[in-house]
Coordinates of all heavy atoms in Angstrom, one line a residue:
R1 N 122.2 -83.7 -81.4 CA 123.3 -82.9 -81.8 C 124.4 -83.8 -82.2 O 124.6 -84.9 -81.7 CB 123.7 -81.9 -80.8 CG 124.3 -82.5 -79.5 CD 124.5 -81.4 -78.5 NE 125.1 -81.9 -77.2 CZ 125.3 -81.2 -76.1 NH1 124.9 -79.9 -76.1 NH2 125.9 -81.8 -75.1
Q2 N 125.3 -83.2 -83.1 CA 126.4 -84.0 -83.6 C 127.6 -83.1 -83.8 O 127.5 -82.0 -84.4 CB 126.0 -84.7 -84.9 CG 127.1 -85.7 -85.4 CD 126.6 -86.6 -86.5 OE1 125.7 -86.3 -87.2 NE2 127.2 -87.8 -86.6
T3 N 128.8 -83.6 -83.4 CA 130.0 -82.9 -83.6 C 130.8 -83.7 -84.6 O 130.8 -85.0 -84.6 CB 130.8 -82.8 -82.3 OG1 130.1 -82.0 -81.3 CG2 132.2 -82.1 -82.5
P4 N 131.6 -83.1 -85.5 CA 132.4 -83.9 -86.5 C 133.2 -85.0 -85.8 O 133.9 -84.7 -84.9 CB 133.2 -82.8 -87.2 CG 132.4 -81.6 -87.1 CD 131.7 -81.7 -85.7
G5 N 133.1 -86.2 -86.4 CA 133.9 -87.3 -85.9 C 133.3 -88.0 -84.7 O 133.8 -89.0 -84.2
K6 N 132.1 -87.6 -84.3 CA 131.4 -88.2 -83.1 C 130.0 -88.6 -83.5 O 129.4 -88.1 -84.5 CB 131.4 -87.2 -81.9 CG 132.7 -86.9 -81.3 CD 132.6 -86.0 -80.1 CE 133.9 -85.8 -79.5 NZ 134.9 -85.1 -80.4
E7 N 129.5 -89.5 -82.7 CA 128.1 -90.0 -83.0 C 127.1 -89.0 -82.6 O 127.3 -88.1 -81.7 CB 127.9 -91.3 -82.2 CG 128.7 -92.5 -82.6 CD 128.4 -93.0 -84.0 OE1 127.2 -93.0 -84.4 OE2 129.3 -93.3 -84.8
R8 N 126.0 -89.0 -83.2 CA 124.9 -88.1 -82.9 C 124.4 -88.5 -81.5 O 124.2 -89.7 -81.2 CB 123.7 -88.3 -83.9 CG 122.6 -87.4 -83.7 CD 121.7 -87.3 -85.0 NE 121.3 -88.7 -85.4 CZ 120.8 -89.0 -86.6 NH1 120.6 -88.0 -87.5 NH2 120.4 -90.2 -86.8
E9 N 124.1 -87.5 -80.7 CA 123.7 -87.8 -79.3 C 122.3 -87.1 -79.0 O 122.0 -86.0 -79.5 CB 124.7 -87.3 -78.3 CG 124.9 -85.8 -78.2 CD 125.8 -85.4 -77.1 OE1 125.9 -86.1 -76.1 OE2 126.5 -84.3 -77.2
F10 N 121.6 -87.7 -78.1 CA 120.3 -87.2 -77.7 C 120.5 -86.0 -76.8 O 121.4 -85.9 -76.0 CB 119.6 -88.3 -76.9 CG 118.4 -87.8 -76.1 CD1 117.2 -87.6 -76.8 CD2 118.5 -87.6 -74.8 CE1 116.1 -87.1 -76.1 CE2 117.4 -87.2 -74.1 CZ 116.2 -86.9 -74.7
V11 N 119.6 -85.0 -77.0 CA 119.7 -83.8 -76.2 C 118.4 -83.6 -75.4 O 118.5 -83.5 -74.2 CB 119.9 -82.5 -77.1 CG1 119.8 -81.3 -76.3 CG2 121.2 -82.6 -77.9
A12 N 117.2 -83.6 -76.1 CA 116.0 -83.4 -75.4 C 114.8 -84.0 -76.2 O 115.0 -84.1 -77.4 CB 115.8 -81.9 -75.1
A13 N 113.7 -84.3 -75.6 CA 112.5 -84.8 -76.3 C 111.3 -84.4 -75.5 O 111.3 -84.1 -74.3 CB 112.6 -86.3 -76.4
I14 N 110.2 -84.3 -76.3 CA 108.9 -83.9 -75.7 C 107.8 -84.8 -76.3 O 107.8 -85.1 -77.5 CB 108.6 -82.4 -75.9 CG1 107.4 -82.0 -75.1 CG2 108.5 -82.1 -77.4 CD1 107.2 -80.5 -75.0
S15 N 106.9 -85.2 -75.5 CA 105.8 -86.1 -76.0 C 104.8 -85.3 -76.8 O 104.9 -84.0 -76.9 CB 105.0 -86.7 -74.8 OG 104.4 -85.7 -74.0
W16 N 103.9 -86.0 -77.5 CA 103.0 -85.3 -78.4 C 102.1 -84.3 -77.7 O 101.7 -83.3 -78.3 CB 102.2 -86.3 -79.2 CG 101.2 -87.1 -78.3 CD1 101.5 -88.4 -77.8 CD2 99.9 -86.8 -77.9 NE1 100.4 -88.8 -77.0 CE2 99.4 -87.9 -77.1 CE3 99.1 -85.7 -78.2 CZ2 98.1 -87.8 -76.6 CZ3 97.8 -85.7 -77.6 CH2 97.3 -86.7 -76.8
S17 N 101.8 -84.6 -76.4 CA 100.9 -83.7 -75.7 C 101.7 -82.6 -75.0 O 101.1 -81.6 -74.5 CB 100.2 -84.5 -74.6 OG 101.1 -85.0 -73.6
G18 N 103.0 -82.7 -74.9 CA 103.8 -81.7 -74.3 C 103.9 -82.0 -72.8 O 104.6 -81.2 -72.0
G19 N 103.3 -83.0 -72.3 CA 103.2 -83.3 -70.9 C 104.4 -84.0 -70.3 O 104.6 -84.0 -69.1
T20 N 105.3 -84.6 -71.1 CA 106.4 -85.3 -70.7 C 107.7 -84.8 -71.5 O 107.6 -84.7 -72.7 CB 106.2 -86.8 -70.9 OG1 105.0 -87.3 -70.3 CG2 107.4 -87.6 -70.3
T21 N 108.7 -84.6 -70.8 CA 110.0 -84.1 -71.4 C 111.1 -85.0 -70.9 O 111.1 -85.5 -69.7 CB 110.3 -82.7 -71.1 OG1 110.3 -82.4 -69.7 CG2 109.2 -81.8 -71.7
Y22 N 112.2 -85.1 -71.7 CA 113.4 -85.8 -71.3 C 114.6 -85.0 -71.7 O 114.6 -84.3 -72.7 CB 113.4 -87.2 -72.0 CG 112.3 -88.1 -71.8 CD1 111.1 -88.0 -72.6 CD2 112.3 -89.0 -70.7 CE1 110.0 -88.8 -72.4 CE2 111.2 -89.8 -70.5 CZ 110.1 -89.7 -71.3 OH 109.0 -90.6 -71.1
Y23 N 115.6 -85.1 -70.9 CA 116.9 -84.3 -71.2 C 118.1 -85.2 -70.9 O 118.1 -86.0 -70.0 CB 117.0 -83.1 -70.3 CG 115.9 -82.1 -70.5 CD1 114.7 -82.1 -69.7 CD2 116.0 -81.1 -71.5 CE1 113.7 -81.2 -69.9 CE2 114.9 -80.2 -71.8 CZ 113.8 -80.3 -71.0 OH 112.8 -79.4 -71.2
A24 N 119.1 -85.0 -71.8 CA 120.4 -85.6 -71.5 C 120.9 -85.0 -70.2 O 120.7 -83.8 -69.9 CB 121.4 -85.3 -72.6
E25 N 121.7 -85.7 -69.4 CA 122.2 -85.2 -68.2 C 123.1 -84.0 -68.4 O 123.2 -83.1 -67.5 CB 123.0 -86.3 -67.4 CG 122.1 -87.4 -66.8 CD 121.2 -86.8 -65.7 OE1 121.8 -86.0 -64.9 OE2 120.1 -87.1 -65.6
S26 N 123.8 -84.0 -69.5 CA 124.7 -82.9 -69.8 C 124.0 -81.5 -70.0 O 124.7 -80.5 -69.9 CB 125.6 -83.2 -71.0 OG 124.8 -83.4 -72.1
V27 N 122.7 -81.5 -70.3 CA 122.0 -80.3 -70.5 C 120.9 -80.0 -69.5 O 120.3 -79.0 -69.5 CB 121.4 -80.3 -72.0 CG1 122.5 -80.5 -73.0 CG2 120.3 -81.2 -72.1
K28 N 120.6 -81.0 -68.7 CA 119.6 -80.8 -67.7 C 119.8 -79.6 -66.8 O 120.9 -79.4 -66.3 CB 119.5 -82.1 -66.8 CG 118.2 -82.1 -65.9 CD 118.2 -83.5 -65.2 CE 116.9 -83.6 -64.4 NZ 116.8 -84.8 -63.6
G29 N 118.7 -78.8 -66.7 CA 118.8 -77.6 -65.9 C 119.2 -76.4 -66.7 O 119.1 -75.3 -66.3
R30 N 119.7 -76.6 -67.9 CA 120.2 -75.5 -68.8 C 119.3 -75.4 -70.0 O 119.1 -74.3 -70.5 CB 121.6 -75.7 -69.2 CG 122.6 -75.8 -68.0 CD 124.1 -75.8 -68.5 NE 124.3 -77.0 -69.3 CZ 124.7 -76.9 -70.6 NH1 124.9 -75.8 -71.2 NH2 125.0 -78.1 -71.3
F31 N 118.8 -76.5 -70.6 CA 118.0 -76.5 -71.8 C 116.6 -76.8 -71.5 O 116.3 -77.5 -70.5 CB 118.5 -77.6 -72.8 CG 119.9 -77.3 -73.4 CD1 120.7 -76.3 -72.9 CD2 120.3 -78.1 -74.5 CE1 121.9 -76.0 -73.5 CE2 121.5 -77.8 -75.1 CZ 122.3 -76.8 -74.6
S32 N 115.7 -76.3 -72.3 CA 114.3 -76.5 -72.1 C 113.6 -76.7 -73.5 O 113.8 -75.9 -74.4 CB 113.6 -75.4 -71.4 OG 112.2 -75.6 -71.2
I33 N 112.9 -77.8 -73.6 CA 112.2 -78.1 -74.9 C 110.7 -77.8 -74.7 O 110.2 -78.0 -73.6 CB 112.4 -79.6 -75.3 CG1 111.8 -79.9 -76.7 CG2 111.8 -80.6 -74.3 CD1 112.2 -81.2 -77.3
S34 N 110.1 -77.3 -75.8 CA 108.7 -77.0 -75.7 C 108.2 -77.1 -77.2 O 108.9 -77.3 -78.1 CB 108.5 -75.6 -75.2 OG 109.1 -74.6 -76.0
R35 N 106.8 -77.0 -77.3 CA 106.2 -77.1 -78.6 C 105.0 -76.3 -78.6 O 104.3 -76.0 -77.6 CB 105.9 -78.6 -78.9 CG 104.9 -79.2 -78.0 CD 104.8 -80.8 -78.3 NE 104.5 -81.0 -79.7 CZ 104.7 -82.2 -80.3 NH1 105.2 -83.2 -79.6 NH2 104.3 -82.4 -81.6
D36 N 104.6 -75.9 -79.8 CA 103.4 -75.2 -80.1 C 102.7 -75.9 -81.3 O 103.1 -75.7 -82.4 CB 103.7 -73.7 -80.5 CG 102.4 -72.9 -80.6 OD1 101.3 -73.5 -80.9 OD2 102.5 -71.7 -80.5
N37 N 101.8 -76.8 -81.0 CA 101.2 -77.6 -82.0 C 100.4 -76.8 -83.0 O 100.2 -77.2 -84.1 CB 100.3 -78.7 -81.3 CG 101.1 -79.8 -80.7 OD1 102.3 -79.9 -81.0 ND2 100.5 -80.5 -79.8
A38 N 99.8 -75.7 -82.5 CA 99.0 -74.9 -83.4 C 99.9 -74.3 -84.5 O 99.4 -74.0 -85.6 CB 98.3 -73.8 -82.7
K39 N 101.2 -74.1 -84.2 CA 102.1 -73.5 -85.2 C 103.0 -74.6 -85.8 O 103.8 -74.3 -86.7 CB 103.1 -72.5 -84.5 CG 102.4 -71.2 -84.1 CD 103.4 -70.2 -83.5 CE 102.7 -68.9 -83.1 NZ 103.7 -68.0 -82.6
N40 N 102.8 -75.8 -85.4 CA 103.5 -77.0 -85.9 C 105.0 -76.7 -85.8 O 105.9 -76.9 -86.7 CB 103.3 -77.2 -87.4 CG 102.8 -78.6 -87.7 OD1 102.4 -79.3 -86.9 ND2 102.9 -79.0 -89.0
T41 N 105.4 -76.3 -84.6 CA 106.8 -75.9 -84.3 C 107.2 -76.4 -82.9 O 106.4 -76.4 -82.0 CB 106.9 -74.3 -84.3 OG1 106.5 -73.8 -85.6 CG2 108.3 -73.9 -84.0
A42 N 108.5 -76.8 -82.8 CA 109.1 -77.2 -81.6 C 110.3 -76.2 -81.3 O 110.8 -75.6 -82.3 CB 109.6 -78.6 -81.6
Y43 N 110.6 -76.1 -80.1 CA 111.7 -75.2 -79.7 C 112.7 -75.8 -78.7 O 112.3 -76.8 -78.0 CB 111.1 -73.9 -79.0 CG 110.0 -73.2 -79.8 CD1 108.7 -73.5 -79.6 CD2 110.4 -72.2 -80.7 CE1 107.7 -72.9 -80.3 CE2 109.4 -71.6 -81.4 CZ 108.1 -71.9 -81.2 OH 107.1 -71.2 -81.9
L44 N 113.9 -75.3 -78.7 CA 114.9 -75.7 -77.7 C 115.5 -74.4 -77.2 O 116.3 -73.8 -77.9 CB 115.9 -76.6 -78.3 CG 117.0 -77.2 -77.3 CD1 116.3 -78.1 -76.3 CD2 118.1 -77.9 -78.1
Q45 N 115.2 -74.1 -76.0 CA 115.8 -72.9 -75.3 C 117.1 -73.4 -74.6 O 117.0 -74.3 -73.8 CB 114.8 -72.3 -74.3 CG 115.4 -71.1 -73.5 CD 115.7 -69.9 -74.4 OE1 114.8 -69.6 -75.2 NE2 116.8 -69.3 -74.3
M46 N 118.2 -72.8 -75.0 CA 119.5 -73.2 -74.5 C 120.1 -72.0 -73.7 O 120.4 -71.0 -74.2 CB 120.4 -73.6 -75.6 CG 119.9 -74.7 -76.5 SD 121.0 -75.3 -77.7 CE 121.2 -73.8 -78.7

C-alpha cells in the first residue's frame, strides 16, 4: 500500500502453495491474505 508522499509499504504476502503467509506488524491480527489458484485470484480480507 502507498499513501501520497510516502514510500510503498509491505502489507501481506502468501507463498505459491498458500501454506506460508506474512503480515506487517501494523495489520497482523486484522488482515488476512488468501488465494484461489483455480480462479487465478488473490484476496486481502481487511
Side-chain angles (χ1 to χ4, degrees):
R1 66 188 182 187
Q2 187 168 29
T3 300
K6 295 181 174 60
E7 295 292 320
R8 183 166 55 195
E9 67 171 332
F10 168 78
V11 177
I14 187 168
S15 64
W16 65 266
S17 67
T20 305
T21 58
Y22 302 90
Y23 297 95
E25 284 297 316
S26 60
V27 307
K28 189 175 182 180
R30 300 187 297 119
F31 290 11
S32 179
I33 187 171
S34 61
R35 66 189 300 163
D36 185 340
N37 288 341
K39 294 184 176 181
N40 236 19
T41 302
Y43 305 94
L44 183 68
Q45 178 66 46
M46 305 185 294

